[in-house]
Amino acid sequence: MTTKTTNSFGHDSFQTNFKEGKFIIAYENNLDLYWYFFPKDNIKNLKESYSIIIDENNPYLLEGLSNLYNAVISNKPYKNNEIADEELQNKEYQGTMSKELLDGKDIVWYSDDNPIEEASYVRIKKVDEETFILTFNKSHAKLQMDTHSIRITNSGSRHAPFNFTFMGMYSYLRQVDIDQITIKEYLAHQKTLQRVK
């Protein structure tokens, strides 16, 4: 289940806990979006990458990721973004998409805070209509602490204008009642209870 918190500047963040660690989507005070991944492993024994599954157990994340994925694959960076009017949402991007953004049918976002060769990155893989796998890969920059988290800058991103697609997902999460349980969540919880019996 995803929980929402609001900081003193009024910016929301969304945290989902997995057995591998915490996934947090946050709009920070520098006006950039971050996808944080904090592994449960000891900081001295971090793996190169960690994967989490987004499925019917997290319906809001699933819908947000589905919208994001479809917008990038269809080359419509403003699709499902509240800042864009309908005409802009349906307009295909006429520029050159960053060659690193797509790897086959996977979306790969390299963190905007380091050169690509050193940057942490997330791979978004669509398994089917109800399942995505997010794989967070460790940065190789010389930092004080290893990180698997990524930064999506809203000014000067190497993947512009697709940073707006990620902001569209964030805006979607802000609009839904994250604390309201959905039918899908209820049914998934019931399935879990049946397996435990």
Side-chain angles (χ1 to χ4, degrees):
M1 185 167 158
T2 301
T3 57
K4 173 181 167 180
T5 57
T6 305
N7 70 15
S8 60
F9 290 91
H11 299 151
D12 297 326
S13 64
F14 303 91
Q15 178 177 317
T16 310
N17 295 325
F18 295 87
K19 66 179 184 197
E20 299 82 3
K22 286 188 255 189
F23 172 41
I24 301 170
I25 298 174
Y27 185 64
E28 296 293 3
N29 299 338
N30 62 0
L31 307 182
D32 287 340
L33 186 67
Y34 289 81
W35 280 24
Y36 295 111
F37 185 76
F38 299 109
K40 284 190 177 172
D41 291 346
N42 183 304
I43 199 151
K44 294 179 181 174
N45 299 317
L46 294 178
K47 293 191 267 183
E48 194 63 29
S49 65
Y50 291 88
S51 294
I52 56 175
I53 295 173
I54 308 295
D55 58 16
E56 64 189 13
N57 293 310
N58 294 291
Y60 297 122
L61 280 180
L62 178 62
E63 186 168 343
L65 270 174
S66 183
N67 291 339
L68 181 151
Y69 182 86
N70 291 333
V72 173
I73 293 296
S74 66
N75 201 26
K76 295 179 181 176
Y78 302 102
K79 190 83 177 152
N80 304 310
N81 194 312
E82 66 180 10
I83 66 162
D85 61 23
E86 188 175 341
E87 182 181 341
L88 186 57
Q89 285 193 27
N90 291 311
K91 187 174 183 177
E92 282 193 31
Y93 177 54
Q94 299 302 310
T96 304
M97 184 187 290
S98 163
K99 68 180 187 295
E100 294 87 10
L101 187 56
L102 285 178
D103 181 12
K105 294 206 178 249
D106 295 353
I107 296 169
V108 181
W109 189 282
Y110 288 86
S111 184
D112 281 323
D113 53 4
N114 287 300
I116 284 182
E117 312 77 52
E118 300 176 352
S120 51
Y121 65 95
V122 63
R123 176 177 294 273
I124 303 170
K125 180 179 187 61
K126 182 177 181 178
V127 177
D128 56 40
E129 293 301 318
E130 299 291 321
T131 311
F132 285 86
I133 298 173
L134 302 184
T135 302
F136 291 87
N137 296 273
K138 188 166 65 171
S139 170
H140 291 283
K142 292 182 175 32
L143 305 169
Q144 289 181 335
M145 188 171 76
D146 287 336
T147 182
H148 292 78
S149 301
I150 63 162
R151 178 181 185 182
I152 300 154
T153 60
N154 283 311
S155 175
S157 173
R158 70 172 57 96
H159 302 300
F162 290 92
N163 53 303
F164 288 105
T165 315
F166 282 74
M167 283 301 299
M169 178 181 171
Y170 174 78
S171 294
Y172 162 77
L173 292 173
R174 290 190 71 215
Q175 291 172 12
V176 297
D177 185 357
I178 262 325
D179 298 322
Q180 180 70 35
I181 189 166
T182 66
I183 295 294
K184 284 185 177 182
E185 282 178 308
Y186 173 76
L187 293 174
H189 182 67
Q190 292 302 314
K191 275 191 212 174
T192 304
L193 290 177
Q194 292 300 321
R195 279 186 246 142
V196 172
K197 287 182 181 179

